[in-house]
Amino acid sequence: MAFSLFSSKNRIVNIVLNDHSIRYLELKHANPPTAQKWGERFLPPGIICDGKIADMDSLVNILDECIDEWKIQRRQIRFVVPDQLVIIRKVSVPAEIQEDEMKGYLYLELGSSIHLPFEEPIFDYYLLSQNEKTKDLLLFAAPEQYVMEYANLFSSKKLTPVAADISPLALYRLYQQLGFGKENEILFMIQFDLTSVNLCVFEGTVPVVMRPFALLFNLENWEIQRYSIGTMDIKYTGEADELVIQFEDIINEINKLMDFYRYSLNKEKNGISKFLLTGDHPMLRAVFDEMKERFEVHVEQLSVVTGSNGKSGSIPASLLLTLGLALKGVK
């Protein structure tokens, strides 16, 4: 799954951009998942907005500095398509459509029987089930224009994109590699970041519904500090009540998606087995504690211990998505 726009090769740097940061990671080995090098850089508001590049000149300058600092010149890269650009949708096609015909058929049906909120998509699909009459597919789509803006940006800096992925799949890959995934599990993944939240429900290994939404972010309420080892420290300095309101909104969204999944998608067959909380928000531990109080469903956080090049202990939570991306294609 994910987007097959590029071919896959070796010795790849993994890069994740979102509205507030750019991060990279190189994998040392996959079992257990171990990072060899990593780094992150804060992006001021207005450079990337809702996953779309809004200030290309500033982003180019920052990327130039990151490439020099991280010493990743002329490398092959993987990157994550921002959550706000991605649509996951279940579609049915006639059973007689063969695998080698499927992409062509889907392309012809986009805009007629298959409706997306944008034109000219880049897409991939996953076969869910089939019978004598139909095949049920999970369609992953994003606007080609915005995905190619990222690809062209990297190419202009002599970085060669070889794979594009989506964040829930990258995180689930890490979750599974750590031995947590269960065959019949209904996993509710919550990516709680500084400027956005992404909710995704997995049936087994397959993400069946995803809902991203933005968080209000006022830079004046946050203190950003960069450390010499290449990581960031972000502290909230604003009014506590503002965060409480934000957290309540997120809890409401979680409840809405749980109800939608149970009553609309799952027909009340099964409920959520487990919550997986991850992300780069500085208050993630408080969210974890609050969720344990609010929900009867088990809540789990990802944590990976690594050590190399003078770095030891747990890899920062902000880098776990990048680590999951690095596992793409690893058997």
Side-chain angles (χ1 to χ4, degrees), residues 186-190 254 258 272-277 291 295-301:
I186 309 296
L187 181 73
F188 194 128
M189 182 184 291
I190 302 160
I254 291 171
M258 286 178 70
I272 302 300
S273 307
K274 183 193 295 183
F275 287 113
L276 179 65
L277 179 65
M291 287 186 64
F295 297 102
E296 295 182 2
V297 178
H298 177 67
V299 186
E300 192 167 301
Q301 279 188 279

PDB file of all heavy atoms in Angstrom, residues 186-190 254 258 272-277 291 295-301:
ATOM      1  N   ILE A 186      -8.765  -4.500  16.378  1.00  0.00           N
ATOM      2  CA  ILE A 186      -9.296  -3.241  15.848  1.00  0.00           C
ATOM      3  C   ILE A 186      -8.559  -2.121  16.586  1.00  0.00           C
ATOM      4  O   ILE A 186      -8.850  -1.830  17.750  1.00  0.00           O
ATOM      5  CB  ILE A 186     -10.815  -3.114  16.048  1.00  0.00           C
ATOM      6  CG1 ILE A 186     -11.541  -4.358  15.522  1.00  0.00           C
ATOM      7  CG2 ILE A 186     -11.326  -1.837  15.374  1.00  0.00           C
ATOM      8  CD1 ILE A 186     -11.412  -4.568  14.032  1.00  0.00           C
ATOM      9  N   LEU A 187      -7.590  -1.532  15.915  1.00  0.00           N
ATOM     10  CA  LEU A 187      -6.703  -0.554  16.547  1.00  0.00           C
ATOM     11  C   LEU A 187      -7.125   0.861  16.163  1.00  0.00           C
ATOM     12  O   LEU A 187      -7.298   1.174  14.984  1.00  0.00           O
ATOM     13  CB  LEU A 187      -5.258  -0.798  16.104  1.00  0.00           C
ATOM     14  CG  LEU A 187      -4.204   0.138  16.702  1.00  0.00           C
ATOM     15  CD1 LEU A 187      -3.965  -0.203  18.168  1.00  0.00           C
ATOM     16  CD2 LEU A 187      -2.893   0.046  15.917  1.00  0.00           C
ATOM     17  N   PHE A 188      -7.272   1.704  17.161  1.00  0.00           N
ATOM     18  CA  PHE A 188      -7.587   3.123  16.938  1.00  0.00           C
ATOM     19  C   PHE A 188      -6.304   3.909  17.184  1.00  0.00           C
ATOM     20  O   PHE A 188      -5.872   4.067  18.318  1.00  0.00           O
ATOM     21  CB  PHE A 188      -8.688   3.561  17.906  1.00  0.00           C
ATOM     22  CG  PHE A 188      -9.328   4.887  17.571  1.00  0.00           C
ATOM     23  CD1 PHE A 188     -10.714   4.987  17.484  1.00  0.00           C
ATOM     24  CD2 PHE A 188      -8.575   6.029  17.362  1.00  0.00           C
ATOM     25  CE1 PHE A 188     -11.331   6.195  17.191  1.00  0.00           C
ATOM     26  CE2 PHE A 188      -9.171   7.242  17.079  1.00  0.00           C
ATOM     27  CZ  PHE A 188     -10.559   7.335  16.986  1.00  0.00           C
ATOM     28  N   MET A 189      -5.687   4.393  16.104  1.00  0.00           N
ATOM     29  CA  MET A 189      -4.423   5.123  16.197  1.00  0.00           C
ATOM     30  C   MET A 189      -4.682   6.625  16.277  1.00  0.00           C
ATOM     31  O   MET A 189      -5.450   7.183  15.491  1.00  0.00           O
ATOM     32  CB  MET A 189      -3.538   4.812  14.983  1.00  0.00           C
ATOM     33  CG  MET A 189      -2.177   5.495  15.011  1.00  0.00           C
ATOM     34  SD  MET A 189      -1.246   5.174  13.487  1.00  0.00           S
ATOM     35  CE  MET A 189      -0.900   3.431  13.654  1.00  0.00           C
ATOM     36  N   ILE A 190      -4.027   7.281  17.236  1.00  0.00           N
ATOM     37  CA  ILE A 190      -4.163   8.720  17.422  1.00  0.00           C
ATOM     38  C   ILE A 190      -2.780   9.354  17.300  1.00  0.00           C
ATOM     39  O   ILE A 190      -1.911   9.132  18.144  1.00  0.00           O
ATOM     40  CB  ILE A 190      -4.769   9.045  18.799  1.00  0.00           C
ATOM     41  CG1 ILE A 190      -6.133   8.364  18.952  1.00  0.00           C
ATOM     42  CG2 ILE A 190      -4.890  10.558  18.996  1.00  0.00           C
ATOM     43  CD1 ILE A 190      -6.576   8.218  20.371  1.00  0.00           C
ATOM     44  N   ILE A 254     -12.650  11.797  18.912  1.00  0.00           N
ATOM     45  CA  ILE A 254     -12.386  10.362  19.088  1.00  0.00           C
ATOM     46  C   ILE A 254     -13.698   9.609  19.278  1.00  0.00           C
ATOM     47  O   ILE A 254     -13.929   8.562  18.660  1.00  0.00           O
ATOM     48  CB  ILE A 254     -11.433  10.134  20.284  1.00  0.00           C
ATOM     49  CG1 ILE A 254     -10.028  10.653  19.956  1.00  0.00           C
ATOM     50  CG2 ILE A 254     -11.369   8.648  20.649  1.00  0.00           C
ATOM     51  CD1 ILE A 254      -9.092  10.675  21.154  1.00  0.00           C
ATOM     52  N   MET A 258     -15.279   6.737  16.827  1.00  0.00           N
ATOM     53  CA  MET A 258     -15.597   5.418  17.389  1.00  0.00           C
ATOM     54  C   MET A 258     -17.039   5.029  17.054  1.00  0.00           C
ATOM     55  O   MET A 258     -17.314   3.897  16.645  1.00  0.00           O
ATOM     56  CB  MET A 258     -15.390   5.421  18.907  1.00  0.00           C
ATOM     57  CG  MET A 258     -13.945   5.419  19.348  1.00  0.00           C
ATOM     58  SD  MET A 258     -13.782   5.470  21.155  1.00  0.00           S
ATOM     59  CE  MET A 258     -14.365   3.837  21.617  1.00  0.00           C
ATOM     60  N   ILE A 272     -13.669  -1.124  19.261  1.00  0.00           N
ATOM     61  CA  ILE A 272     -12.232  -0.859  19.258  1.00  0.00           C
ATOM     62  C   ILE A 272     -11.536  -1.740  20.299  1.00  0.00           C
ATOM     63  O   ILE A 272     -11.975  -1.840  21.444  1.00  0.00           O
ATOM     64  CB  ILE A 272     -11.971   0.632  19.557  1.00  0.00           C
ATOM     65  CG1 ILE A 272     -12.672   1.531  18.530  1.00  0.00           C
ATOM     66  CG2 ILE A 272     -10.471   0.919  19.602  1.00  0.00           C
ATOM     67  CD1 ILE A 272     -12.241   1.313  17.103  1.00  0.00           C
ATOM     68  N   SER A 273     -10.436  -2.402  19.887  1.00  0.00           N
ATOM     69  CA  SER A 273      -9.686  -3.268  20.798  1.00  0.00           C
ATOM     70  C   SER A 273      -8.680  -2.488  21.642  1.00  0.00           C
ATOM     71  O   SER A 273      -8.443  -2.804  22.812  1.00  0.00           O
ATOM     72  CB  SER A 273      -8.917  -4.342  20.015  1.00  0.00           C
ATOM     73  OG  SER A 273      -9.749  -5.058  19.157  1.00  0.00           O
ATOM     74  N   LYS A 274      -8.074  -1.468  21.001  1.00  0.00           N
ATOM     75  CA  LYS A 274      -6.967  -0.780  21.654  1.00  0.00           C
ATOM     76  C   LYS A 274      -6.784   0.605  21.038  1.00  0.00           C
ATOM     77  O   LYS A 274      -6.999   0.804  19.854  1.00  0.00           O
ATOM     78  CB  LYS A 274      -5.683  -1.593  21.480  1.00  0.00           C
ATOM     79  CG  LYS A 274      -4.450  -1.008  22.178  1.00  0.00           C
ATOM     80  CD  LYS A 274      -3.164  -1.681  21.706  1.00  0.00           C
ATOM     81  CE  LYS A 274      -3.122  -3.146  22.098  1.00  0.00           C
ATOM     82  NZ  LYS A 274      -1.839  -3.775  21.693  1.00  0.00           N
ATOM     83  N   PHE A 275      -6.371   1.569  21.877  1.00  0.00           N
ATOM     84  CA  PHE A 275      -5.909   2.867  21.399  1.00  0.00           C
ATOM     85  C   PHE A 275      -4.384   2.834  21.325  1.00  0.00           C
ATOM     86  O   PHE A 275      -3.720   2.324  22.244  1.00  0.00           O
ATOM     87  CB  PHE A 275      -6.305   3.998  22.350  1.00  0.00           C
ATOM     88  CG  PHE A 275      -7.759   4.360  22.322  1.00  0.00           C
ATOM     89  CD1 PHE A 275      -8.561   4.128  23.423  1.00  0.00           C
ATOM     90  CD2 PHE A 275      -8.331   4.946  21.199  1.00  0.00           C
ATOM     91  CE1 PHE A 275      -9.897   4.471  23.419  1.00  0.00           C
ATOM     92  CE2 PHE A 275      -9.672   5.294  21.175  1.00  0.00           C
ATOM     93  CZ  PHE A 275     -10.461   5.048  22.286  1.00  0.00           C
ATOM     94  N   LEU A 276      -3.840   3.386  20.259  1.00  0.00           N
ATOM     95  CA  LEU A 276      -2.400   3.605  20.164  1.00  0.00           C
ATOM     96  C   LEU A 276      -2.172   5.099  20.035  1.00  0.00           C
ATOM     97  O   LEU A 276      -2.566   5.716  19.046  1.00  0.00           O
ATOM     98  CB  LEU A 276      -1.808   2.875  18.954  1.00  0.00           C
ATOM     99  CG  LEU A 276      -0.302   3.071  18.753  1.00  0.00           C
ATOM    100  CD1 LEU A 276       0.481   2.456  19.920  1.00  0.00           C
ATOM    101  CD2 LEU A 276       0.162   2.467  17.428  1.00  0.00           C
ATOM    102  N   LEU A 277      -1.558   5.685  21.049  1.00  0.00           N
ATOM    103  CA  LEU A 277      -1.307   7.126  21.079  1.00  0.00           C
ATOM    104  C   LEU A 277       0.142   7.393  20.726  1.00  0.00           C
ATOM    105  O   LEU A 277       1.059   6.842  21.326  1.00  0.00           O
ATOM    106  CB  LEU A 277      -1.632   7.680  22.474  1.00  0.00           C
ATOM    107  CG  LEU A 277      -1.402   9.174  22.680  1.00  0.00           C
ATOM    108  CD1 LEU A 277      -2.348  10.003  21.814  1.00  0.00           C
ATOM    109  CD2 LEU A 277      -1.586   9.537  24.161  1.00  0.00           C
ATOM    110  N   MET A 291      -6.802   9.900  28.658  1.00  0.00           N
ATOM    111  CA  MET A 291      -7.499   8.860  27.900  1.00  0.00           C
ATOM    112  C   MET A 291      -7.707   7.605  28.744  1.00  0.00           C
ATOM    113  O   MET A 291      -8.749   6.948  28.653  1.00  0.00           O
ATOM    114  CB  MET A 291      -6.726   8.528  26.627  1.00  0.00           C
ATOM    115  CG  MET A 291      -6.811   9.604  25.559  1.00  0.00           C
ATOM    116  SD  MET A 291      -6.034   9.089  24.020  1.00  0.00           S
ATOM    117  CE  MET A 291      -7.081   7.704  23.558  1.00  0.00           C
ATOM    118  N   PHE A 295     -11.612   6.352  28.943  1.00  0.00           N
ATOM    119  CA  PHE A 295     -12.033   5.214  28.124  1.00  0.00           C
ATOM    120  C   PHE A 295     -11.755   3.893  28.827  1.00  0.00           C
ATOM    121  O   PHE A 295     -10.754   3.750  29.543  1.00  0.00           O
ATOM    122  CB  PHE A 295     -11.309   5.228  26.772  1.00  0.00           C
ATOM    123  CG  PHE A 295     -11.620   6.435  25.923  1.00  0.00           C
ATOM    124  CD1 PHE A 295     -10.715   7.477  25.841  1.00  0.00           C
ATOM    125  CD2 PHE A 295     -12.802   6.517  25.213  1.00  0.00           C
ATOM    126  CE1 PHE A 295     -10.987   8.598  25.059  1.00  0.00           C
ATOM    127  CE2 PHE A 295     -13.089   7.624  24.426  1.00  0.00           C
ATOM    128  CZ  PHE A 295     -12.181   8.674  24.359  1.00  0.00           C
ATOM    129  N   GLU A 296     -12.626   2.952  28.586  1.00  0.00           N
ATOM    130  CA  GLU A 296     -12.418   1.606  29.118  1.00  0.00           C
ATOM    131  C   GLU A 296     -11.462   0.796  28.249  1.00  0.00           C
ATOM    132  O   GLU A 296     -10.903  -0.196  28.692  1.00  0.00           O
ATOM    133  CB  GLU A 296     -13.764   0.880  29.219  1.00  0.00           C
ATOM    134  CG  GLU A 296     -14.720   1.505  30.227  1.00  0.00           C
ATOM    135  CD  GLU A 296     -16.023   0.753  30.335  1.00  0.00           C
ATOM    136  OE1 GLU A 296     -16.171  -0.282  29.641  1.00  0.00           O
ATOM    137  OE2 GLU A 296     -16.898   1.180  31.118  1.00  0.00           O
ATOM    138  N   VAL A 297     -11.275   1.230  27.008  1.00  0.00           N
ATOM    139  CA  VAL A 297     -10.369   0.539  26.080  1.00  0.00           C
ATOM    140  C   VAL A 297      -8.920   0.786  26.494  1.00  0.00           C
ATOM    141  O   VAL A 297      -8.554   1.894  26.911  1.00  0.00           O
ATOM    142  CB  VAL A 297     -10.607   1.037  24.634  1.00  0.00           C
ATOM    143  CG1 VAL A 297      -9.635   0.373  23.659  1.00  0.00           C
ATOM    144  CG2 VAL A 297     -12.047   0.784  24.215  1.00  0.00           C
ATOM    145  N   HIS A 298      -8.088  -0.240  26.363  1.00  0.00           N
ATOM    146  CA  HIS A 298      -6.665  -0.125  26.711  1.00  0.00           C
ATOM    147  C   HIS A 298      -5.969   0.928  25.846  1.00  0.00           C
ATOM    148  O   HIS A 298      -6.190   0.998  24.638  1.00  0.00           O
ATOM    149  CB  HIS A 298      -5.971  -1.482  26.517  1.00  0.00           C
ATOM    150  CG  HIS A 298      -4.497  -1.446  26.771  1.00  0.00           C
ATOM    151  ND1 HIS A 298      -3.957  -1.230  28.012  1.00  0.00           N
ATOM    152  CD2 HIS A 298      -3.441  -1.584  25.915  1.00  0.00           C
ATOM    153  CE1 HIS A 298      -2.632  -1.249  27.926  1.00  0.00           C
ATOM    154  NE2 HIS A 298      -2.307  -1.459  26.672  1.00  0.00           N
ATOM    155  N   VAL A 299      -5.135   1.746  26.473  1.00  0.00           N
ATOM    156  CA  VAL A 299      -4.384   2.795  25.777  1.00  0.00           C
ATOM    157  C   VAL A 299      -2.898   2.465  25.850  1.00  0.00           C
ATOM    158  O   VAL A 299      -2.377   2.153  26.926  1.00  0.00           O
ATOM    159  CB  VAL A 299      -4.631   4.191  26.390  1.00  0.00           C
ATOM    160  CG1 VAL A 299      -3.957   5.269  25.538  1.00  0.00           C
ATOM    161  CG2 VAL A 299      -6.115   4.471  26.544  1.00  0.00           C
ATOM    162  N   GLU A 300      -2.229   2.541  24.698  1.00  0.00           N
ATOM    163  CA  GLU A 300      -0.810   2.196  24.639  1.00  0.00           C
ATOM    164  C   GLU A 300      -0.033   3.303  23.927  1.00  0.00           C
ATOM    165  O   GLU A 300      -0.554   3.966  23.034  1.00  0.00           O
ATOM    166  CB  GLU A 300      -0.646   0.874  23.885  1.00  0.00           C
ATOM    167  CG  GLU A 300       0.733   0.262  23.989  1.00  0.00           C
ATOM    168  CD  GLU A 300       0.732  -1.185  23.488  1.00  0.00           C
ATOM    169  OE1 GLU A 300      -0.009  -2.014  24.042  1.00  0.00           O
ATOM    170  OE2 GLU A 300       1.457  -1.445  22.528  1.00  0.00           O
ATOM    171  N   GLN A 301       1.221   3.506  24.341  1.00  0.00           N
ATOM    172  CA  GLN A 301       2.122   4.433  23.664  1.00  0.00           C
ATOM    173  C   GLN A 301       3.311   3.663  23.101  1.00  0.00           C
ATOM    174  O   GLN A 301       3.753   2.674  23.690  1.00  0.00           O
ATOM    175  CB  GLN A 301       2.642   5.505  24.625  1.00  0.00           C
ATOM    176  CG  GLN A 301       1.684   6.656  24.862  1.00  0.00           C
ATOM    177  CD  GLN A 301       2.341   7.765  25.665  1.00  0.00           C
ATOM    178  OE1 GLN A 301       2.429   7.690  26.884  1.00  0.00           O
ATOM    179  NE2 GLN A 301       2.798   8.784  24.968  1.00  0.00           N
TER     180      GLN A 301
END
